[in-house]
Coordinates of all heavy atoms in Angstrom, one line a residue:
I12 N 10.0 -7.0 -7.6 CA 10.3 -6.5 -8.9 C 9.8 -7.5 -10.0 O 10.2 -8.6 -10.0 CB 11.8 -6.2 -9.1 CG1 12.4 -5.2 -8.1 CG2 12.1 -5.8 -10.5 CD1 13.9 -5.0 -8.1
L18 N 8.1 -14.3 -14.4 CA 9.4 -14.2 -13.6 C 9.3 -12.9 -12.8 O 9.0 -11.9 -13.2 CB 10.5 -14.2 -14.6 CG 11.9 -14.2 -14.0 CD1 12.2 -15.5 -13.2 CD2 12.9 -14.1 -15.2
N42 N 29.5 -24.2 -8.4 CA 29.6 -23.1 -9.3 C 29.4 -21.8 -8.6 O 29.9 -20.7 -9.0 CB 28.7 -23.2 -10.5 CG 29.2 -24.3 -11.4 OD1 30.2 -24.1 -12.1 ND2 28.5 -25.4 -11.5
Q51 N 31.4 -30.6 3.0 CA 31.4 -29.2 3.3 C 30.2 -28.5 2.6 O 30.2 -27.2 2.7 CB 32.7 -28.6 2.9 CG 33.9 -29.1 3.7 CD 35.2 -28.4 3.3 OE1 35.2 -27.7 2.3 NE2 36.2 -28.6 4.1
D56 N 23.2 -23.1 8.7 CA 23.9 -22.0 9.3 C 24.7 -21.3 8.2 O 24.8 -20.1 8.2 CB 24.9 -22.6 10.3 CG 25.6 -21.5 11.1 OD1 24.9 -20.6 11.6 OD2 26.9 -21.5 11.1
Y64 N 24.6 -11.7 5.1 CA 25.6 -10.8 4.5 C 25.0 -10.2 3.2 O 25.1 -8.9 3.0 CB 26.9 -11.6 4.2 CG 27.7 -10.8 3.2 CD1 28.5 -9.8 3.7 CD2 27.8 -11.1 1.9 CE1 29.3 -9.0 2.8 CE2 28.6 -10.4 1.0 CZ 29.3 -9.3 1.5 OH 30.1 -8.6 0.6
S66 N 22.0 -9.6 2.3 CA 20.9 -8.7 2.6 C 21.4 -7.3 3.1 O 20.8 -6.3 2.8 CB 20.0 -9.3 3.7 OG 19.3 -10.4 3.2
V88 N 19.3 -13.7 -6.2 CA 20.1 -12.7 -6.7 C 20.3 -11.5 -5.7 O 19.3 -11.2 -5.0 CB 19.6 -12.1 -8.1 CG1 18.3 -11.4 -7.9 CG2 20.6 -11.2 -8.8
T89 N 21.5 -10.9 -5.7 CA 21.7 -9.7 -4.9 C 22.0 -8.6 -5.9 O 23.0 -8.7 -6.6 CB 22.8 -9.9 -3.9 OG1 22.5 -11.0 -3.1 CG2 22.9 -8.7 -3.0
E93 N 29.0 -4.2 -6.8 CA 30.3 -5.0 -6.8 C 30.0 -6.5 -6.5 O 29.3 -6.8 -5.5 CB 31.2 -4.4 -5.6 CG 32.5 -5.1 -5.7 CD 33.5 -4.5 -4.6 OE1 33.3 -3.3 -4.3 OE2 34.4 -5.3 -4.2
R103 N 16.2 -27.8 -14.1 CA 15.3 -27.6 -15.2 C 15.1 -26.1 -15.6 O 14.5 -25.8 -16.6 CB 14.0 -28.3 -14.8 CG 13.1 -27.6 -13.8 CD 11.8 -28.4 -13.6 NE 10.9 -27.7 -12.7 CZ 10.8 -28.0 -11.4 NH1 11.6 -29.0 -10.9 NH2 9.9 -27.4 -10.6
R105 N 17.7 -23.9 -15.6 CA 19.0 -23.4 -16.2 C 19.0 -23.4 -17.7 O 18.4 -24.3 -18.3 CB 20.2 -24.2 -15.6 CG 20.4 -24.0 -14.1 CD 21.6 -24.8 -13.6 NE 21.4 -25.0 -12.2 CZ 21.5 -26.2 -11.6 NH1 21.8 -27.2 -12.3 NH2 21.3 -26.3 -10.3
S130 N 31.4 -3.8 -10.9 CA 32.8 -4.2 -10.8 C 33.0 -5.5 -10.0 O 32.1 -5.8 -9.2 CB 33.7 -3.1 -10.3 OG 33.4 -2.9 -8.9
S141 N 28.1 -19.2 -16.9 CA 28.1 -17.8 -16.3 C 29.0 -16.9 -17.0 O 28.7 -15.7 -17.2 CB 28.5 -17.9 -14.8 OG 28.4 -16.7 -14.2
H145 N 27.7 -13.3 -18.7 CA 28.4 -12.0 -18.5 C 28.8 -11.4 -19.9 O 28.6 -10.2 -20.1 CB 29.6 -12.2 -17.6 CG 29.2 -12.2 -16.2 ND1 28.7 -13.3 -15.6 CD2 29.3 -11.3 -15.2 CE1 28.5 -13.1 -14.3 NE2 28.8 -11.8 -14.0
C151 N 33.1 -7.0 -19.5 CA 34.4 -7.2 -20.0 C 35.3 -7.8 -18.9 O 35.1 -7.5 -17.8 CB 35.1 -5.8 -20.4 SG 34.2 -5.0 -21.7

Side-chain angles (χ1 to χ4, degrees):
I12 296 176
L18 185 61
N42 287 292
Q51 294 180 350
D56 186 53
Y64 165 77
S66 293
V88 64
T89 306
E93 185 176 332
R103 72 179 185 264
R105 294 184 201 125
S130 61
S141 187
H145 278 75
C151 297

